[in-house]
Amino acid sequence: MKFIKLGLVAAALMTVSGVSLAQQKDIKIVDPRESPYVISPNGVVVMNPFGLCWRTGFWTLERAATTKIEGAPFPNWTVGCVCDRALMKPPVCEPPPPKPPPPAPPPPPPPPPAPPAPTSEKVTFAADALFDFDKATLRPEGRAKLDDLVSKLAGVSLEVIIAVGYTDRIGSDAYNLKLSQRRAQAVKDYLVSKGIEPNRVYTEGKGEANPVKQCADPSAKGEVRNQKQLIDCLQPNRRVEVEVVGTRPVRK
C-alpha cells in the first residue's frame, strides 16, 4: 500500500513535456541532492516508458535550468534540456558560439634588399699621358688624370685597385719590366697620397707583354721608316691599366 501511495504521488508530479532528447538512457545528475526530477539510487533520472521525466517537489524552472548532468554535450547543457527543453531559455540548451578564428599572422617582413653586386671598371691611361718618355715620374697632366679617377671613386665602397704597367718592346726585357713596375708603383703612390688605403692598391709590371699594337721595324720597309716613327707607332703599348673593383650604393 505504501508503494502505491508513492506511485500516485509520483504520477501526480509527472511532467507532461517531452523532448527528443528525453529518449536518452541513463541521464545522470552530477549532484543528486534536491534534484528537480526523480532519480534512481545511482543518480540516474527516472523516465516513464514514453521518455518523460518525473518532477519532484523540488522542481523549479531555475533548478531544472541549472542542474548539471554527466556527459553533457555542451558546458551549459542541464537536466532541463533533457526533461523540459521547451521551457528552457535559448542560451541554456544551445551550444556556445564558436570561438572566433585566431587572428591571421602578420605577413612576413619583406626580404632585405640584395646588396649591390660588386662592379669592376677598367681605365687605360696612355703612359705618355702620365709620364715623360722612358720616365716613371708623374707629369702634371698625369696627376690631373688620376685626380679625376679619385673623384669618381667618391661614394664607392672600394674593394681593390689594380694598377698594371706596360712598355713597348724597345729596350731589353729586364729594363722594360722594371720600368713598367716603377710606373705602376708611381700610380699607387699618388693614389695613396690622395687618401686611398695602401692595402687597397696592388701593382704589377708586365713589361712589353700583351701588346695592343704590332709595328714592323724600319728594316722591314713598311710604314715605319725610322726609329722615331717606330716609337710613335708603339705608343699604344706604353700604358698603365687601372682596374677598380667596388660597389656603388643603389639609387632609390
Side-chain angles (χ1 to χ4, degrees):
M1 194 68 177
K2 184 178 181 181
F3 176 79
I4 294 175
K5 288 183 179 180
L6 289 175
L8 291 174
V9 172
L13 296 175
M14 184 182 72
T15 180
V16 295
S17 64
V19 296
S20 60
L21 290 179
Q23 303 299 327
Q24 296 182 9
K25 303 297 182 180
D26 296 338
I27 304 302
K28 191 171 185 179
I29 302 294
V30 173
D31 185 0
R33 293 172 296 180
E34 298 185 358
S35 170
Y37 300 98
V38 176
I39 59 175
S40 66
N42 59 352
V44 175
V45 176
V46 176
M47 297 182 182
N48 68 10
F50 301 101
L52 302 177
C53 304
W54 298 74
R55 293 178 180 172
T56 69
F58 302 109
W59 186 93
T60 64
L61 184 60
E62 179 182 1
R63 180 164 295 180
T66 56
T67 302
K68 298 184 179 298
I69 61 176
E70 294 183 359
F74 310 114
N76 55 340
W77 189 280
T78 65
V79 70
C81 297
V82 177
C83 296
D84 282 300
R85 187 172 183 180
L87 302 178
M88 297 296 105
K89 294 182 179 181
V92 176
C93 303
E94 294 178 356
K99 294 182 180 179
T119 60
S120 175
E121 299 179 12
K122 182 180 288 187
V123 182
T124 299
F125 298 100
D128 292 352
L130 301 180
F131 310 97
D132 289 326
F133 180 73
D134 198 26
K135 302 295 183 181
T137 302
L138 280 169
R139 300 169 57 191
E141 296 87 342
R143 292 194 291 270
K145 289 184 178 295
L146 294 178
D147 286 342
D148 181 64
L149 175 64
V150 172
S151 68
K152 293 178 179 177
L153 296 179
V156 174
S157 179
L158 184 64
E159 293 187 13
V160 66
I161 296 178
I162 304 172
V164 182
Y166 294 92
T167 67
D168 58 29
R169 69 173 187 265
I170 300 173
S172 67
D173 292 347
Y175 178 83
N176 286 335
L177 180 61
K178 290 182 179 180
L179 178 60
S180 66
Q181 290 171 342
R182 287 189 289 124
R183 285 180 168 176
Q185 184 63 41
V187 170
K188 174 179 179 176
D189 292 342
Y190 189 77
L191 294 177
V192 171
S193 73
K194 293 297 180 178
I196 304 298
E197 297 179 25
N199 61 346
R200 298 288 183 184
V201 186
Y202 293 85
T203 62
E204 186 177 2
K206 292 192 175 182
E208 58 192 70
N210 305 328
V212 296
K213 187 173 182 180
Q214 301 288 345
C215 302
D217 290 332
S219 60
K221 297 181 181 182
E223 59 177 325
V224 176
R225 297 183 178 87
N226 53 51
Q227 187 71 4
K228 181 180 182 307
Q229 289 182 345
L230 178 62
I231 292 173
D232 292 341
C233 182
L234 293 174
Q235 190 280 327
N237 296 334
R238 299 187 296 272
R239 65 197 190 278
V240 176
E241 294 180 351
V242 179
E243 183 175 3
V244 178
V245 179
T247 55
R248 292 186 181 277
V250 179
R251 294 182 179 179
K252 297 183 179 179

